[in-house]
Every structure is written in structure tokens, then in C-alpha cells.
Amino acid sequence: MKVVCIGELLIDFICTDTNKQLHDSVNFIKKAGGAPANVAATVSKLGGKAEFIGKVGNDPFGVFLKQVLTDANVGTKGVLFDAEHPTTLAFVSLTDDGERDFVFNRGADGELTRTDVLIKTNQSEIYHFGSATALLPSVTRDTYISVMEECSSKDEFVSFDPNYRSALWLNEDAFKTAVLPCLKWTHLLKVSEEELVILGGNNDSSIGLEYLHGLGCPFILVTLGKKGTLVSYNNLHKIVPSIPIKSIDSTGAGDAFIGAILYQLAKHRKVSFDHSELCQMVTFANKVGALTCTQMGAISAIPTLDQLKEVK
């Protein structure tokens, strides 16, 4: 099965002056990023088949980004160059524990039209919607919602990671209003602990999960950082632990995690599983996400299968 990821592909300018806020930052390095692009790269680097659909500017940054995906063996027929809008840029600073401070300069990723996206039915494909910017007001927002609904109506498996960034939204209610209607089309929802509180409307995870399941999403994974992942599926409610690591940069860790989950679903050509299988899958994905934190950047930090075998 192929995993098709739709959304933003952008440049992360990462500050190399650790433990500084962006207003104090001076030195930056250029890295490829964008949540759905990170997921596609994870699937491919682990040995699966992935394709990316999204827009970049017709500029040197856009050329660089397409080449990065090509080098990662991600299908790039859906990477489109926009002559009127520049490539989206994100500026990121890191603290000593690997946490981040973001500023976005949005460009071409917000211009993806409905006619830009071709949905192939009966192809046994998994469609992943995992964008930090896609549900912000833009042309892409309408496209995202339309494509997600169409995939669901044609019985394609839909994975969704809302990727909340406080720097992008006016408030948490605006984010919640944009995300919740999408859950009726979602088979697999991946959220962070913070996003579960926002979307579930309660600090009690059990209550929040029950609410989100009630909106139509059967399978929910909640990433808990170093604590692991909370799995909620078919009467299973369990935390699967991660592995201890020294975090250098958490950028892309959640994307690597969900990419590892989708890689396994696609590899085994199944979208339902027993509790034991599911916990094994999450253990593997936790390891992928954790190792991504041990290097700077997102796509460049995602481990291969051979690198995973070296870590016990």
C-alpha cells in the first residue's frame, strides 16, 4: 500500500544558538520540513512507498525541497511550483531540552487548489492529512476539507494529525472549531497531550478521548513525549512506553512517529489489528520518534531501518 501525504512542504531555519528565543537568535541552518512531508519521508526511509502532494514556490528553496524528497525516495509528481508565491519559511529556536519557538512566513503551501489534488480510488492507498498550516484560512483549507471528505466517501483510509501551533492560531477555540468537523472522516487521529486537552475539552484524558471517539474517530494515538504513547482503540486504553534518549531537537518527532505507524499499516496491508499487534506497532513507532529527536532537523534526522536495528 502507498501512503499519500497532503499539505505543507517548507524550509525550517533552525537556530544553532541553543536555549535562545527567536528575538535573541543569530545563527540559523536550513533544513527541509513540513509535517506531511516529514511523514512521507519517514514511510520512505523505513522502506515503504510514499507520495507527497503540495505546493512550493518557484524559487531556490522550492527546488531544494523537491530534491530532498526525491533523495528520500518519496514520489514527487504532486509537488507543484507556484510562480506567484514564495516557498513557506519557518524560523525555529531550540531550548536545552529540545523544545521549540516558532515563527512562520507562509507562502505557496496555502495555495493548493482542489484541481491540484487527484484522488486515486481502489488503489489501496492510505491518505494522511497532517499539516500545521492547512486548516488556517487559505485556498488550501477548502482543498484539504474537500479532499478529506472525498477520501472518506470512497472508503480510503484517512489519517489525521492536526499539529497545533499557538503561533499560528488566534486562540485554541479557533483551532478546535477548525479540527473537530474533520473527525467524522478520520479513521486514525494522532494528537499530542496538549491537543487532546484542547480538542477533548477536558484535562481528564479518558473524558477527552470518549468525546473525540463520539465524533466518529475509532482509533486515537496520543503522543506523551518521553512517557510514550497513549493508545485508545477498540476497548484498549493503554500507555505504551518509549525509549530514553537525550533530546537535541524535537522537530518532526511526532511526524516520524505517525509515519512509522502508517508504514506498518501499509506494509501489512491492513487497517485493523488486535491489541498485541497494535502495541508492537506503537513500540516501533515510539522508537522512530525518539531517535528523530537525537539529531537536528526533521527529514534528515529520521532513522532508517538499519539505524533502528543498532538501538536496543
Side-chain angles (χ1 to χ4, degrees), residues 40-48 72 298-305 307:
T42 301
V43 173
S44 184
K45 290 182 77 171
L46 291 174
I299 291 177
S300 60
I302 297 165
T304 63
L305 281 179
Q307 290 170 326

Side-chain angles (χ1 to χ4, degrees), residues 191-257:
V191 290
S192 67
E193 201 167 9
E194 177 189 19
E195 290 160 352
L196 176 60
V197 172
I198 295 172
L199 297 175
N202 200 293
N203 288 322
D204 186 319
S205 62
S206 297
I207 295 175
L209 287 167
E210 182 179 1
Y211 174 67
L212 297 181
H213 282 307
L215 294 177
C217 181
F219 181 13
I220 302 176
L221 297 173
V222 186
T223 52
L224 308 173
K226 63 182 179 181
K227 292 182 290 184
T229 300
L230 173 58
V231 182
S232 185
Y233 171 75
N234 194 23
N235 296 320
L236 175 65
H237 188 81
K238 179 179 180 180
I239 293 179
V240 178
S242 187
I243 61 172
I245 50 96
K246 168 62 177 176
S247 179
I248 295 175
D249 177 11
S250 60
T251 302
D255 305 326
F257 167 83

Side-chain angles (χ1 to χ4, degrees), residues 30-151:
K30 179 183 71 176
K31 294 287 186 178
N38 297 338
V39 174
T42 301
V43 173
S44 184
K45 290 182 77 171
L46 291 174
K49 295 180 180 180
E51 184 175 340
F52 178 81
I53 299 174
K55 273 191 175 179
V56 294
N58 188 18
D59 53 36
F61 292 136
V63 173
F64 165 76
L65 289 169
K66 184 174 182 179
Q67 187 60 51
V68 168
L69 290 185
T70 298
D71 292 344
N73 295 317
V74 173
T76 58
K77 290 182 179 179
V79 177
L80 306 175
F81 291 97
D82 190 314
E84 298 182 5
H85 301 87
T87 299
T88 297
L89 308 178
F91 295 86
V92 187
S93 66
L94 306 172
T95 58
D96 285 339
D97 60 1
E99 291 306 311
R100 301 155 291 165
D101 182 23
F102 280 96
V103 168
F104 279 83
N105 285 344
R106 198 176 190 195
D109 85 273
E111 304 301 321
L112 189 70
T113 68
R114 183 62 189 84
T115 56
D116 291 331
V117 184
L118 175 64
I119 303 302
K120 304 173 186 177
T121 57
N122 301 317
Q123 298 294 314
S124 296
E125 294 181 339
I126 293 171
Y127 285 85
H128 177 69
F129 301 80
S131 176
T133 63
L135 290 179
L136 295 169
S138 68
V139 174
T140 297
R141 177 176 180 167
D142 294 337
T143 299
Y144 227 60
I145 292 173
S146 174
V147 173
M148 187 180 290
E149 182 177 13
E150 182 177 345
C151 286

Side-chain angles (χ1 to χ4, degrees), residues 139-204:
V139 174
T140 297
R141 177 176 180 167
D142 294 337
T143 299
Y144 227 60
I145 292 173
S146 174
V147 173
M148 187 180 290
E149 182 177 13
E150 182 177 345
C151 286
S152 178
S153 70
K154 293 180 177 178
D155 294 323
E156 302 291 350
F157 188 86
V158 174
S159 167
F160 182 36
D161 180 1
N163 275 296
Y164 175 69
R165 298 287 181 267
S166 59
L168 298 179
W169 292 89
L170 291 176
N171 51 58
E172 293 178 354
D173 286 340
F175 172 74
K176 184 175 181 178
T177 298
V179 170
L180 291 184
C182 299
L183 298 193
K184 62 179 173 287
W185 306 310
T186 301
H187 300 96
L188 167 58
L189 175 69
K190 178 265 172 189
V191 290
S192 67
E193 201 167 9
E194 177 189 19
E195 290 160 352
L196 176 60
V197 172
I198 295 172
L199 297 175
N202 200 293
N203 288 322
D204 186 319

